Amino acid sequence: MEHTAYDAAIIGAGVVGCSIAHALARDGYRVCVLDRSGAVGSGSTSASSANIRFNYSTWEGVALAWEAYTRWEAWADHLGAVDEAGMARFVKTGGVVLDSPDQDARRVLALFDRAGIPYERWDAATLRSRLPMLDPAHHYPPKRVEDPAFWADPDGEVGGYWMPDNGFVDDPALAAHNLMSAARRHGAELRLRTTVTGIRRVDGVVTGVEVEGGVTVPARIVVNAAGPHSAVVNALAGVADDFNVGTRPMRQEVHQVAAPAGSGADRLVPLVGDLDLGTYFRGTPNGDLLIGGTEPACDPMEWLDDPDDYNHGPTKSVFDAQVFRAARRVPSLAVPNVPRGIAGVYDVADDWIPIYDKTALRGYYVAIGTSGNQFKNAPVIGDVLAAIVASCEAGRDHDTHPVQMTLPNTGHTVDLSHYSRKRPVNRDSTFSVMG
């Protein structure tokens, strides 16, 4: 049994897959999005902290984040209409990144200067004055809570840099729905509860996907945006050996506690990136504090063999690690005994830089390794894939002649080979996990 042929079949209805659907459908492709879940944005997207920030260690990371910011600020304009289900909202709080040996602030701020991103350099005294809830004590390196040294007195103070345009999106799953709604207005189709079981190909060229029940969905282009299942889909396509950089599913937790005194829904805590202690946190629309970890060296990463087999609830050990670290930075923060938060599965590339690329299978493209730091770039990721697809389908070899993309709102140009599957693993990549 075969379905109507499409120009593009996109595997995954998270925020990345929906952005790609929007961009391709807007450009005239007949698009079908397939997802095995029952709702758009219900996987890794729903577990995202949805932070909007610009601090990356590479030009491409900074430039894409700044371009995406301009689209979050004018979300309805980017979509072209208002979603009847409601609209995700960008909440601007500002944000500060505290100094740490794990980052090269001068390198980041030089990239900010190049991109035209506003910032202020703050010393410890300025931190106290501007954000009095924060204690600018120096604790590096991050330590486990059970380590007696965790409670040692600080040995100095830290400064940081302030970004007035940081913030967050209040409903990441709704943002994915907004993108899918916009894509459908351009003719895209959505098939939920549809599990892809195979990638169809003939003579090294993709011809579509096979879904559960033996049904074939013909398509001349297939895009893998399957999140934590991306490696499984690549194996179905027979392209796993085509990658220098791999992806793996990893379990992550994000927690919520009551915000400290003096803050709340009417006075949100700004986004704080604290690599000195190994955590990040920000306010939430309901007045809580959302707290996550930055994967410091002292914490084991929880890699999964099966992205469907994991504990969906918060654990006391991770909760204590993240919340006690935040409490050392915010002394007025109360640490409850019972953990509250969510656990999700991220799709993580070996160097935490996503892979946006073609593959050795003609017509088969990937947008993978995006979890933990690419939600903010969702509005522009669709354009990135659309540019690669258009160039490759026109006969360009993106491997040997990489696509150079000029970002329309900021005017910056990025070399999309930065996201190549063939790149060397970037051991200098930082700011991987801050939502």
Side-chain angles (χ1 to χ4, degrees), residues 247-265:
T247 62
R248 298 171 65 188
M250 185 179 74
R251 182 180 177 276
Q252 275 277 357
E253 295 186 26
V254 178
H255 301 99
Q256 286 198 35
V257 298
S263 61

Side-chain angles (χ1 to χ4, degrees), residues 285-298:
N286 66 355
D288 281 346
L289 198 69
L290 179 147
I291 305 173
T294 62
E295 300 302 326
C298 63

